[in-house]
Amino acid sequence: MKNEWPLWEVFIRGKHGTSHRHFGSLHAPDAEMAIKNARDVYTRRNEGVSIWVVEAEHISASAPSDKGPLYEPSNAKVYRHPSFFDIPDDVGAM
Amino acid sequence: MYAQVVESTGKSVKSPEEMSEKERAFQARIDAGEKIEPKDWMPDDYRKTLIRQIGQHAHSEVVGQLPEGNWITRAPTLERKAILLAKVQDEAGHGLYLYCAAETLGVSRDDLTEQLLSGRMKYSSIFNYPTLTWADMGAVGWLVDGAAIMNQVPLQRTSFGPYSRAMIRVCKEESFHQRQGYDIMMKMANGTPAQKAMAQDALNRLWYPSLMMFGPSDKNSVHSAQSMAWKIKIDSNDGLRQRFVDQTVPQAEYLGLTIPDDNLRLDEETGHYEFSQPDWSEFNDVLRGNGPCNTERLNARNKAWNDGAWVRDGLMAHAAKKAAAKIAAE
């Protein structure tokens, strides 16, 4: 067993106006076949209107152990949320 | 069930005192209902057990195409043929979702395939029984897919994220399978006496093998406890089997067919049916490779893999050639 087809990650736009969402992965020799296979594997029942594929090895991901240091700084910045500011009711909708 | 006898590597469930700090934190996440994702730390045994379980499940979906594929060219009408084709294609899809989930644990697709083809990894015993008549297509959809749903619905809540997501997709599609099977059974049961007899014969042959799908009785199921603590197994084998019988008996009555069990009886107090256990020595024999179709199934998978080698290699060569031409043109 050698020469295994590379792994592709599949992203599908469910319907017009929504963004592509990760759906799953599959093996294919190239991008063209990956899209054809994704059509057969992931959209047999009208699940999508557009397919993206990208070779899995080209995806970089944050490590689960980075969760703290990576996201902690923004947790301290509560003023990023609109609810931080008290606006009098008299001002009306804002 | 599609993974009937998953040998766990752990002996018994570890108590919190026996666990390392990492293991305790891991178990706490599972107890809190959190999903474990591929890059998260996990105990080696959790990883190994899951690879076996998801692998067996995937192999079952793939080998499960064979007994039904057997009838595609002989379906009684063009519509039935198209429906069966779609159903078998779904099974291939289910196998692929599951292989992908297993691969996130660090095992390669070719490695899993090789373990199936060499017989080192198992698939569900049910697919080692033959499909002798068209009524078997009805009984397989109704009983086998019905049993599969029973097992897969709770697995949507399993602790491993990719497995859970694969199960959610599978369950969405599975109900079509069971209903198309029952639809065939209704047609046959309401047909000519010969057709009804054929439906009854299919039920007679597939009833006990379907009960076996849930795996050995809990008291003989040595690997369950740790898997349940890890939430990669949600319900007990006997519990699922009981639920299946309770659901299926009224469906058989509606068809006017008889479950082949003289001991079948509704316990008015509990609301559950009492029923005969399948022949567990037959079950063990089929798992050991001595079922009616074990050799045929593995030969068919090996032939498909070997005959397809030139296609896999050819497409890789073509992709490499195209990539090289693109670079040259730039």
Side-chain angles (χ1 to χ4, degrees), chain A residues 5-62:
Chain A
W5 287 355
L7 188 68
W8 299 75
E9 297 299 333
V10 178
F11 299 81
I12 292 177
R13 186 199 298 284
K15 49 182 191 280
H16 292 291
T18 60
S19 54
H20 286 74
R21 198 167 64 84
H22 183 240
F23 243 62
S25 46
L26 49 75
H27 288 271
D30 57 24
E32 193 188 337
M33 283 301 295
I35 287 178
K36 288 196 166 116
N37 289 353
R39 191 269 317 264
D40 288 344
V41 178
Y42 292 108
T43 66
R44 290 194 300 281
R45 289 178 177 80
N46 270 330
E47 287 93 336
V49 294
S50 163
I51 299 174
W52 287 352
V53 293
V54 59
E55 252 193 274
E57 65 170 23
H58 294 315
I59 291 183
S60 308
S62 65

Side-chain angles (χ1 to χ4, degrees), chain A residues 4 23 25 27 32 44-45, chain B residues 90 100 103 110 173 322:
Chain A
E4 192 175 24
F23 243 62
S25 46
H27 288 271
E32 193 188 337
R44 290 194 300 281
R45 289 178 177 80
Chain B
D90 272 358
C100 289
E103 285 178 272
D110 277 5
E173 299 174 351
K322 260 200 325 189

Side-chain angles (χ1 to χ4, degrees), chain A residues 67, chain B residues 28-36 40 158-160 231:
Chain A
K67 209 156 70 182
Chain B
R29 287 187 63 197
I30 289 181
D31 293 342
E34 273 184 46
K35 294 279 182 256
I36 308 300
D40 293 345
T158 190
S159 63
F160 187 56
K231 291 193 189 159

Side-chain angles (χ1 to χ4, degrees), chain B residues 20-21 84-85 89 109 174 188 193 202 205 208 211 227 232 250 255 260 277 282 291 296 305 329:
Chain B
S20 68
E21 200 174 318
L84 186 59
L85 204 54
Q89 191 192 12
R109 173 75 60 87
E174 202 77 65
M188 302 286 289
R205 282 181 290 105
Y208 288 105
L211 294 186
S227 290
I232 57 182
L255 293 171
Q277 290 292 312
E282 177 184 318
E296 189 185 329
W305 179 255

Side-chain angles (χ1 to χ4, degrees), chain B residues 112-185:
Chain B
L112 287 169
T113 305
E114 200 275 322
Q115 291 196 52
L116 168 69
L117 297 182
S118 65
R120 273 183 296 141
M121 275 181 93
K122 301 291 179 206
Y123 52 89
S124 177
S125 60
I126 188 73
F127 302 119
N128 289 314
Y129 290 86
T131 46
L132 302 177
T133 70
W134 173 252
D136 288 14
M137 294 303 95
V140 165
W142 171 38
L143 301 173
V144 176
D145 290 87
I149 292 171
M150 208 108 265
N151 179 59
Q152 288 167 342
V153 165
L155 277 178
Q156 294 178 100
R157 291 182 282 116
T158 190
S159 63
F160 187 56
Y163 193 25
S164 158
R165 293 190 284 274
M167 282 296 100
I168 289 169
R169 288 192 60 78
V170 166
C171 285
K172 270 191 198 159
E173 299 174 351
E174 202 77 65
S175 134
F176 148 59
H177 298 178
Q178 192 184 16
R179 294 174 73 131
Q180 67 86 31
Y182 198 71
D183 185 63
I184 293 174
M185 291 306 272

Side-chain angles (χ1 to χ4, degrees), chain B residues 211-226:
Chain B
L211 294 186
M212 290 176 195
M213 288 176 66
F214 299 97
S217 177
D218 295 331
K219 46 185 192 294
N220 301 321
S221 184
V222 285
H223 310 293
S224 290
Q226 181 62 67

